[in-house]
């Protein structure tokens, strides 16, 4: 058993409270700073070169690795300045498809809806627009039992997220979610987009400052729901976008949308190896040990930030 502790920690939204979205599930920026203080005191942070060296040797380096998913504007506006001030690095996993049509991903439209509308009201609106024939994956046992176990959601929120992220056939999903957005929001597509995601020029600034940019697919689909051909497209096209933005990627890394072993397959891992991806992150409450570094590098474990002090949502 390894004598040192190397932990990867996952973040999504990090922002101050916004009265326009009273139900939004985010980590407050002040709590983020408190958590960084806690990590510094208890574990320290893994230096980037030490982490890359661990990938070569298979021997973990002590400390915390910070990772941020989805490429939110939060990460440039609030997180990036904190990291620079503290002389820290991080990995930012980008869902690249948003930049082609400048439109929010369906998963993020769900977050906005849940952040603005009480979950009971949103669930009733969903019931008015959905039918049983749309729910092709409702009986997949893993989607019922293994999803949202680490999140502290009310029952209506969990049901909405499982329905729209897992149960529904992708052929119906986009139209249904867009109908809910039009019902509850007056902002245009471009207004929502510019407020929500890091811009391409901001991504370049972050990469130039030493942050690592990784792939979080093109469309943020559950990879295990896709054919092998579509999985390959999600991987290859996302890396092509990042390379066109920054030039040659110094580190080629991937992160599974949603996370958990139910969200990808052995074929997914083979595709990542074929594309010479150095490592990928899953979601699993474990330290990164030698066994993972040596034989399971395409499913490195990550903790959710809410597993540590100061990491929970204030709402």
């Amino acid at each position: 058993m390894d004598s040192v502790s190397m932990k990867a920690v996952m973040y999504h939204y990090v922002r101050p409270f916004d009265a326009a979205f009273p139900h939004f599930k985010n980590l407050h920026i002040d709590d983020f700073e408190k958590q960084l203080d806690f990590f510094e005191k208890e574990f320290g942070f893994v230096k980037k070169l030490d982490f890359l060296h661990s990938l070569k040797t298979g021997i973990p380096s002590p400390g915390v690795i910070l990772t941020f998913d989805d490429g939110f504007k939060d990460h440039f506006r609030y997180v990036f300045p904190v990291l620079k001030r503290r002389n820290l690095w991080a990995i930012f996993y980008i869902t690249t498809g948003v930049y082609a049509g400048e439109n929010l991903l369906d998963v993020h439209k769900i977050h906005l809806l849940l952040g603005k509308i009480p979950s009971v009201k949103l669930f009733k609106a969903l019931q008015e627009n959905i039918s049983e024939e749309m729910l092709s994956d409702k009986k997949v046992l893993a989607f019922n039992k293994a999803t949202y176990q680490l999140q502290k959601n009310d029952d209506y929120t969990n049901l909405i997220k499982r329905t729209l992220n897992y149960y529904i056939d992708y052929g119906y999903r986009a139209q249904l979610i867009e109908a809910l957005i039009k019902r509850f929001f007056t902002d245009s597509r471009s207004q929502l987009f510019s407020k929500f995601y890091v811009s391409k020029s901001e991504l370049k600034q972050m990469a130039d400052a030493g942050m690592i940019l990784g792939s979080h697919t093109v469309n943020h689909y559950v990879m295990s729901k896709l054919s092998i051909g579509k999985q390959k497209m999600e991987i290859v096209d996302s890396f092509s976008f990042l390379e066109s933005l920054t030039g040659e990627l110094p580190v080629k890394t991937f992160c599974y949308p949603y996370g958990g072993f139910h969200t990808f397959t052995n074929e997914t891992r083979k595709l990542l190896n074929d594309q010479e991806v150095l490592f990928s992150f899953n979601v699993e409450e474990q330290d990164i040990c030698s066994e993972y570094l040596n034989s399971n590098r395409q499913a490195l474990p990550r903790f959710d930030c809410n597993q540590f002090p100061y990491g929970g949502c204030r709402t």
Side-chain angles (χ1 to χ4, degrees):
M1 189 170 182
D2 296 314
S3 58
V4 299
S5 172
M6 183 160 75
K7 306 176 186 294
V9 180
M10 170 183 64
Y11 295 89
H12 287 85
Y13 300 101
V14 183
R15 58 173 66 177
F17 175 74
D18 184 349
F21 294 90
H23 313 291
F24 207 91
K25 295 295 183 70
N26 64 277
L27 180 64
H28 196 285
I29 183 61
D30 294 342
D31 295 332
F32 174 62
E33 294 239 39
K34 291 176 182 176
Q35 188 167 75
L36 292 183
D37 291 338
F38 169 81
F39 287 152
E40 179 66 43
K41 179 180 178 182
E42 296 295 324
F43 310 113
F45 294 98
V46 181
K47 294 184 182 300
K48 182 165 66 172
L49 290 179
D50 290 341
F51 174 60
L52 297 177
H53 186 66
S54 290
L55 291 168
K56 290 181 179 179
T57 64
I59 302 172
S61 299
V64 170
I65 301 155
L66 303 173
T67 71
F68 299 84
D69 289 7
D70 294 345
F72 299 134
K73 182 71 77 172
D74 296 9
H75 300 161
F76 183 80
R77 182 177 295 161
Y78 303 114
V79 172
F80 185 44
V82 171
L83 298 180
K84 288 195 295 182
R85 173 162 46 82
R86 290 174 176 256
N87 196 29
L88 296 173
W89 68 284
I91 308 173
F92 293 86
Y93 287 104
I94 311 303
T95 310
T96 61
V98 300
Y99 298 98
E102 294 197 346
N103 188 23
L104 266 67
L105 291 173
D106 290 338
V107 63
H108 298 145
K109 291 177 182 177
I110 296 168
H111 294 166
L112 283 183
L113 287 163
L114 286 167
K116 183 176 183 179
I117 310 302
S119 59
V120 176
K121 182 177 179 180
L122 184 60
F123 177 72
K124 290 179 180 178
L126 178 61
Q127 283 185 306
E128 294 170 7
N129 288 274
I130 203 167
S131 62
E132 194 69 27
E133 68 176 7
M134 300 179 183
L135 306 177
S136 59
D137 289 329
K138 186 177 181 180
K139 295 183 179 180
V140 176
L141 183 62
F143 294 167
N144 282 279
K145 299 294 185 182
T147 54
Y148 306 115
Q149 296 300 307
L150 298 179
Q151 297 184 13
K152 298 178 180 178
N153 299 323
D154 63 80
D155 290 342
Y156 284 108
T157 295
N158 276 337
L159 186 52
I160 291 166
K161 294 177 79 169
R162 286 191 178 113
T163 299
L164 294 176
N165 287 328
Y166 290 97
Y167 300 160
I168 196 167
D169 187 289
Y170 279 144
Y172 299 103
R173 183 177 187 240
Q175 183 177 356
L176 176 59
I177 294 172
E178 186 61 24
L180 294 172
I181 285 287
K182 289 181 178 179
R183 176 169 174 176
F184 293 111
F185 284 85
T186 58
D187 304 68
S188 68
R189 173 189 290 188
S190 61
Q191 287 173 327
L192 288 173
F193 177 85
S194 62
K195 294 176 184 177
F196 202 81
Y197 295 114
V198 179
S199 70
K200 289 187 282 188
S201 64
E202 290 166 346
L203 286 174
K204 183 69 165 57
Q205 288 183 53
M206 294 165 71
D208 290 344
M211 306 298 150
I212 292 176
L213 302 185
S215 164
H216 202 32
T217 72
V218 176
N219 295 300
H220 204 283
Y221 292 148
V222 177
M223 296 291 275
S224 61
K225 291 183 65 169
L226 304 180
S227 68
I228 294 175
K230 288 183 178 179
Q231 289 191 53
K232 183 176 181 180
M233 183 205 73
E234 290 287 327
I235 294 167
V236 172
D237 290 358
S238 61
F239 278 116
S240 295
F241 173 86
L242 293 174
E243 289 167 353
S244 71
L245 187 68
T246 64
E248 184 179 358
L249 293 171
V251 178
K252 199 169 183 180
T253 177
F254 180 87
C255 171
Y256 300 102
Y258 304 100
F261 288 101
H262 59 283
T263 65
F264 59 95
T265 64
N266 288 332
E267 287 79 10
T268 317
R269 289 195 253 203
K270 184 179 185 302
L271 287 169
L272 292 166
N273 284 325
D274 291 345
Q275 294 301 313
E276 299 182 335
V277 174
L278 185 58
F279 65 94
S280 302
F281 274 115
N282 186 21
V283 179
E284 186 185 4
E285 297 176 66
Q286 288 195 47
D287 290 351
I288 302 173
C289 62
S290 295
E291 181 181 353
Y292 276 97
L293 292 171
N294 288 304
S295 60
N296 201 9
R297 197 177 289 180
Q298 300 303 354
L300 295 181
R302 285 192 301 174
F303 293 93
D304 193 293
C305 66
N306 64 25
Q307 301 302 111
F308 298 95
Y310 311 109
C313 300
R314 293 186 179 186
T315 56

